[in-house]
Amino acid sequence: MNQYPDISLKKLRESFSEETLRRSNAKAAYYIVRDFLFFFGLTYVIWVSDSPWVLIPTYIAQSLCIFGLFLLGHDMAHGALFKSKNVNYFFGQICFLPSLHPYSKWVYGHNAVHHGGTIQLKSDFAWHPRTVTKYLSQSTFNRIMHRIYWSQLGAGLYYFNKMWFQGLIARNANVTAKTKRDTFVVLAFAIVSIVAVFYFFSMNGGEFNWINGVIGVIKVQAIPFFLYCQWIGMVIYIQHIQDDVNWKPKEEWNQFYGQVIGTTNYKTNYFLNFFLHNILIHLPHHVHSAIPFYNLPRALDELKRDYPEYIVLKENLFKDYFKYTSQCKLIDANTLDWTTYPDLQATR
């Protein structure tokens, strides 16, 4: 890692102008209202429509809308949208409800663990790589699950099971009164909303039909949620997993390496970015997480001005995702280089 400088985050943050760091309560309120209007409007379309030609694009938009609301909550968790901590906490919880994320529990794992040791082995839990040795020592079932999780279509299942269910719902680490309360809020919202949808669909036509209720829950809630898991799983993957990004042990890691070398930036089309709120311009967010999402493009330009040899804006998001999910399966315990399952088989 000697080819990379050991520059502190404090030094990197000197690149940012006051305008880049400025928050606007009015802008924050606008995006919350805008995204919730889309969320409820798309929910209505899904509710009343049975045409696959309507439902398929609406599901895509709705899953992205859930992601967008999550990202607004994500910025509020970093104190990047409102100036008041309490206002960020209040609206952050509301924006997290469609994605069923307990606010305080997620904040601990994301802000302290992920940002504190980005791409650091035995620290960062988001898409943590497995060594060849570890893979070979595991059961056949665990090897199969690893192959599924690390496939092109496995990102959603990985996020749903490992990061959402196990990490946020079932996990009991860092339990406080606040995390208990936030988890209760999310679970209560989930139960009430599921029961309400089930009731209205099961009573459609005047007679109770539980099959219609189950179909309604799947149609209105389950499909958009699982598609959201696929989107966020893909995005988290591409942000920190690439064939030239080697995860490092603590003794070889520093903040510059984790937040700059190990974090990517992608230019996306207007449709995607309408919902994704510049989250794919990810490097400046890791350098200073209090930058509002609407100022991230300016922040990237300012970093590129001062560190041009390290700041790259890529354009082929989906091409790169399919490329790296094909190449980056396991890491060599000695070199920390990525390898694939076929390469592994060839060396046995």
Side-chain angles (χ1 to χ4, degrees), residues 281-301:
I281 300 178
H282 204 52
L283 191 158
H285 167 71
H286 267 261
V287 172
H288 201 327
S289 59
I291 297 173
F293 70 87
Y294 45 80
N295 288 338
L296 289 176
R298 181 192 292 112
L300 186 67
D301 289 340

Side-chain angles (χ1 to χ4, degrees), residues 24-35 81-82 91:
S24 167
N25 288 345
K27 283 186 178 180
Y30 162 75
Y31 282 107
I32 292 172
V33 171
R34 188 202 74 170
D35 282 15
L81 290 193
F82 292 105
F91 284 106

Side-chain angles (χ1 to χ4, degrees), residues 3 14 27 138-139 151 157 193 238 245 249 261 298 329 336:
Q3 69 269 35
E14 293 176 1
K27 283 186 178 180
Q138 293 188 313
S139 66
S151 67
L157 182 60
S193 61
I238 202 65
V245 174
I261 305 303
R298 181 192 292 112
K329 301 293 189 180
L336 302 180

Side-chain angles (χ1 to χ4, degrees), residues 125-181:
F125 59 87
W127 284 103
H128 196 284
R130 188 168 298 177
T131 64
V132 173
T133 305
K134 177 69 173 177
Y135 175 81
L136 289 174
S137 70
Q138 293 188 313
S139 66
T140 300
F141 174 79
N142 284 332
R143 292 190 201 182
I144 292 172
M145 290 308 300
H146 189 276
R147 286 175 176 263
I148 293 172
Y149 287 144
W150 287 71
S151 67
Q152 286 85 357
L153 297 178
L157 182 60
Y158 177 91
Y159 187 86
F160 171 80
N161 185 34
K162 293 289 189 178
M163 300 182 72
W164 179 74
F165 179 72
Q166 293 185 30
L168 293 174
I169 304 303
R171 184 179 173 88
N172 291 320
N174 191 45
V175 175
T176 65
K178 183 178 282 189
T179 58
K180 285 182 179 179
R181 181 182 64 196

